[in-house]
Amino acid sequence: MQHKISVDAMGGDFGPSVTIPASLKILKKYENISIVLVGNSDEITQILKKKKSLNHPRITIHNSTQVVGMDELPQSALKNKKDSSMRVSINLVKEGVVDACVSAGNTGALMATARFVLRMLPGIDRPAISSELPNANGTTCMLDLGANADCTPEQLLQFGIMGSILTNVLHKKNNPSIGLLSNGSESMKGSDVVKRSAELFRDSHLNFHGNVEGDDIFKGTTDVVVCDGFTGNISLKTTEGLAQMMANFLTLEFKRNLFTKISAFIALPVLKRFKKRLDPRRYNGASFLGLNGIVVKSHGGADEFAFIHALETTISESENDVISKIKDQLKVESII
């Protein structure tokens, strides 16, 4: 079955210089995918000519006259950038022209625009940002990572439903285990919201493991970790900072003297494998779950390799019809 994806070609720190080459590589890998490149048609055409792909049978150019700045306020983008590459890409999802869209643009503007255009799924109060983090056994799906600072127990249950479906779709895991992020694994630990959320999870059809702590994210204790956006964003940023610090320390130690430099040369194969496993580009592509349409956010500073991963996440969600599966599970939980 053919699937069509709209790409915000102008979004991100590098715009078409990254989004277009990445899209071309994806088309080589997936024969059932076609792409609509949204943005300045002259600029897109110029790059496609250089890549000798102007007449690619599975590429369509959709012109737009505006670009949302990376530091632009969400409300400003909504009000003043109605013909932006971001807005048009999402409009194409709403109109049924494409099955999903991906953008490396301004996160706040993308979320605000997507929510305004696509609206929420029935039974879902708020969208959640979901992404995968590496763990000892593979990856952990974690949400919310910043869309909602405060959440009700009912909303956290909704996040758990969506995270469970996404994990099943992306990794073919039946009945994924779900953990509720808390300050202790015991049932009596956590805020009132966490305690009341745990009750809802236990009464649901989900595979609820119970409370998990921060270190469980990387142990792989559960397939999905659910939390409010305030907690999730702090956890994510702390993790990124720690990983960067460890990488810097390792580099400094290996450069300390001649002996350590020789040691680094000998350990180079191991270091390369270590770097590959922790390479954040391999986990690029955050899903905006809860919207009545598939929208995936790539990191703004993504290179071709990272943007390809965001595209692959978008394709997987589209091919596996994640929206319909979330709707079906909501019916099972009697939320709709």
Side-chain angles (χ1 to χ4, degrees), residues 286-306:
S287 303
F288 285 3
L289 298 179
L291 300 169
N292 195 20
I294 297 172
V295 177
V296 172
K297 170 69 171 71
S298 166
H299 193 284
D303 59 9
E304 281 183 40
F305 180 82

Side-chain angles (χ1 to χ4, degrees), residues 52-64:
K52 298 180 180 179
S53 300
L54 182 58
N55 297 314
H56 196 293
R58 288 184 284 127
I59 286 182
T60 304
I61 300 173
H62 196 298
N63 186 58
S64 67

Side-chain angles (χ1 to χ4, degrees), residues 25-87:
K25 288 180 179 178
I26 277 291
L27 292 174
K28 288 183 179 179
K29 185 174 181 180
Y30 296 88
E31 294 184 356
N32 66 325
I33 297 298
S34 58
I35 286 178
V36 179
L37 295 171
V38 182
N40 185 300
S41 59
D42 291 338
E43 193 170 346
I44 293 172
T45 298
Q46 186 178 11
I47 293 175
L48 287 175
K49 281 183 177 179
K50 289 181 180 179
K51 297 290 182 178
K52 298 180 180 179
S53 300
L54 182 58
N55 297 314
H56 196 293
R58 288 184 284 127
I59 286 182
T60 304
I61 300 173
H62 196 298
N63 186 58
S64 67
T65 60
Q66 297 174 306
V67 177
V68 175
M70 293 301 285
D71 58 351
E72 192 162 346
L73 293 175
Q75 291 305 316
S76 174
L78 266 177
K79 182 179 179 180
N80 304 314
K81 297 292 180 71
K82 295 181 180 179
D83 194 45
S84 67
S85 55
M86 178 186 291
R87 178 71 170 264

Side-chain angles (χ1 to χ4, degrees), residues 61-127:
I61 300 173
H62 196 298
N63 186 58
S64 67
T65 60
Q66 297 174 306
V67 177
V68 175
M70 293 301 285
D71 58 351
E72 192 162 346
L73 293 175
Q75 291 305 316
S76 174
L78 266 177
K79 182 179 179 180
N80 304 314
K81 297 292 180 71
K82 295 181 180 179
D83 194 45
S84 67
S85 55
M86 178 186 291
R87 178 71 170 264
V88 174
S89 296
I90 297 170
N91 285 343
L92 293 176
V93 178
K94 174 70 173 180
E95 295 162 4
V97 176
V98 300
D99 303 295
C101 79
V102 59
S103 172
N106 180 318
T107 303
L110 183 65
M111 175 62 82
T113 303
R115 185 172 182 179
F116 176 80
V117 173
L118 299 175
R119 306 299 181 185
M120 303 301 301
L121 286 171
I124 299 294
D125 298 332
R126 297 180 182 178

Side-chain angles (χ1 to χ4, degrees), residues 12-315:
D13 296 337
F14 306 110
S17 65
V18 162
T19 58
I20 294 177
S23 296
L24 291 172
K25 288 180 179 178
I26 277 291
L27 292 174
K28 288 183 179 179
K29 185 174 181 180
Y30 296 88
E31 294 184 356
N32 66 325
I33 297 298
S34 58
I35 286 178
V36 179
L37 295 171
V38 182
N40 185 300
S41 59
D42 291 338
E43 193 170 346
I44 293 172
T45 298
Q46 186 178 11
I47 293 175
L48 287 175
K49 281 183 177 179
K50 289 181 180 179
K51 297 290 182 178
K52 298 180 180 179
S53 300
L54 182 58
N55 297 314
H56 196 293
R58 288 184 284 127
I59 286 182
T60 304
I61 300 173
H62 196 298
N63 186 58
S64 67
T65 60
Q66 297 174 306
V67 177
V68 175
M70 293 301 285
D71 58 351
E72 192 162 346
L73 293 175
Q75 291 305 316
S76 174
L78 266 177
K79 182 179 179 180
N80 304 314
K81 297 292 180 71
K82 295 181 180 179
D83 194 45
S84 67
S85 55
M86 178 186 291
R87 178 71 170 264
V88 174
S89 296
I90 297 170
N91 285 343
L92 293 176
V93 178
K94 174 70 173 180
E95 295 162 4
V97 176
V98 300
D99 303 295
C101 79
V102 59
S103 172
N106 180 318
T107 303
L110 183 65
M111 175 62 82
T113 303
R115 185 172 182 179
F116 176 80
V117 173
L118 299 175
R119 306 299 181 185
M120 303 301 301
L121 286 171
I124 299 294
D125 298 332
R126 297 180 182 178
I129 299 175
S130 170
S131 190
E132 294 188 334
L133 301 177
N135 67 38
N137 305 309
T139 59
T140 299
C141 173
M142 188 170 177
L143 70 166
D144 175 27
L145 294 178
N148 309 280
D150 297 301
C151 298
T152 66
E154 292 76 16
Q155 288 161 357
L156 291 178
L157 176 63
Q158 294 165 15
F159 296 170
I161 292 170
M162 295 190 293
S164 176
I165 295 297
L166 187 65
T167 300
N168 173 265
V169 164
L170 297 183
H171 300 292
K172 310 304 179 186
K173 288 186 178 180
N174 293 320
N175 203 24
S177 58
I178 300 174
L180 193 58
L181 191 61
S182 185
N183 63 331
S185 59
E186 302 86 355
S187 59
M188 74 284 295
K189 292 291 184 70
S191 64
D192 289 339
V193 172
V194 169
K195 291 176 183 177
R196 286 187 285 128
S197 299
E199 294 176 2
L200 294 179
F201 273 98
R202 281 191 286 268
D203 291 337
S204 73
H205 295 81
L206 300 172
N207 181 13
F208 183 53
H209 170 86
N211 288 354
V212 294
E213 300 180 79
D215 59 342
D216 287 305
I217 299 169
F218 303 102
K219 288 179 181 177
T221 303
T222 60
D223 300 308
V224 181
V225 172
V226 175
C227 59
D228 61 71
F230 181 84
T231 304
N233 192 262
I234 289 177
S235 299
L236 179 65
K237 299 299 181 173
T238 301
T239 300
E240 291 174 348
L242 177 62
Q244 186 61 55
M245 182 187 73
M246 290 177 63
N248 291 340
F249 281 177
L250 197 62
T251 300
L252 288 172
E253 291 303 319
F254 273 123
K255 290 182 176 180
R256 187 172 293 278
N257 54 50
L258 180 60
F259 176 75
T260 57
K261 289 179 181 178
I262 294 173
S263 300
F265 179 76
I266 295 172
L268 192 58
V270 176
L271 292 173
K272 285 184 176 179
R273 288 195 297 270
F274 176 77
K275 181 180 179 181
K276 181 179 179 180
R277 291 188 68 178
L278 294 181
D279 188 348
R281 299 178 304 165
R282 296 177 64 223
Y283 309 99
N284 184 45
S287 303
F288 285 3
L289 298 179
L291 300 169
N292 195 20
I294 297 172
V295 177
V296 172
K297 170 69 171 71
S298 166
H299 193 284
D303 59 9
E304 281 183 40
F305 180 82
F307 197 77
I308 285 172
H309 278 267
L311 280 164
E312 289 184 322
T313 297
T314 311
I315 291 167

